[in-house]
Amino acid sequence: MPRTAMVSVRDKQVRAVELARAGHSYDQIAEQLGYANRSSAWRLVRGGLDAAVAKSSEDYLHAELGRLDALQSAFWDQALLGDLTAATVVFRVIGQRCRLLGLDRAPKQEAVPCMVVCPLAAATRDATAEAGND
């Protein structure tokens, strides 16, 4: 989608959320924004809410990372000089940053097909193989 179209959709999402918050129905929102039906208005509102949550989450993440950086910076030099208390603080800050960024989670494994052997099929195969050897 071209950048100008994305901006236009975002603007409509913001307007749709404003209208919904003001108590307008989805039919009214669709009419005011030039959409054919209420489901389009619902998708605009939903998309606007999802984008707002994502933006808010991103802002929170950056704020928390900034706090962790400041805390780590305050204790870093003492930790490098051998202060065990400062080293513990730095270690915990690094751990918290890893959790916040999801670096502590194991990477998702792709599904590997497994072979399940049916006992009846295996017995039949073995019996057939033995019969062929006689």
Side-chain angles (χ1 to χ4, degrees):
M1 177 182 293
R3 185 167 167 73
T4 54
M6 285 176 30
V7 170
S8 176
V9 169
R10 286 198 182 114
D11 289 344
K12 286 184 178 185
Q13 287 175 338
V14 168
R15 183 68 182 133
V17 170
E18 289 171 352
L19 291 170
R21 288 184 71 192
H24 291 79
S25 70
Y26 290 120
D27 288 323
Q28 292 168 330
I29 295 169
E31 183 180 327
Q32 287 191 31
L33 296 179
Y35 283 86
N37 55 49
R38 63 183 290 124
S39 66
S40 297
W42 181 88
R43 281 193 296 278
L44 276 177
V45 171
R46 184 79 250 154
L49 293 174
D50 289 346
V53 168
K55 175 71 173 124
S56 180
S57 297
E58 186 177 324
D59 290 347
Y60 170 75
L61 177 65
H62 287 293
E64 285 301 308
L65 289 173
R67 290 182 188 111
L68 291 172
D69 289 344
L71 188 57
Q72 182 174 334
S73 179
F75 285 89
W76 185 256
D77 290 336
Q78 297 103 316
L80 291 180
L81 292 173
D83 182 335
L84 292 180
T85 303
T88 300
V89 170
V90 168
F91 181 73
R92 287 183 177 167
V93 167
I94 291 170
Q96 184 61 31
R97 183 180 296 109
C98 288
R99 283 189 294 282
L100 192 60
L101 295 173
L103 300 174
D104 61 332
R105 292 184 221 123
K108 290 186 178 180
Q109 300 280 333
E110 288 193 29
V112 178
C114 65
M115 182 180 287
V116 177
V117 178
C118 172
L120 181 58
T124 304
R125 182 191 64 227
D126 294 343
T128 305
E130 286 178 19
N133 290 336
D134 291 337

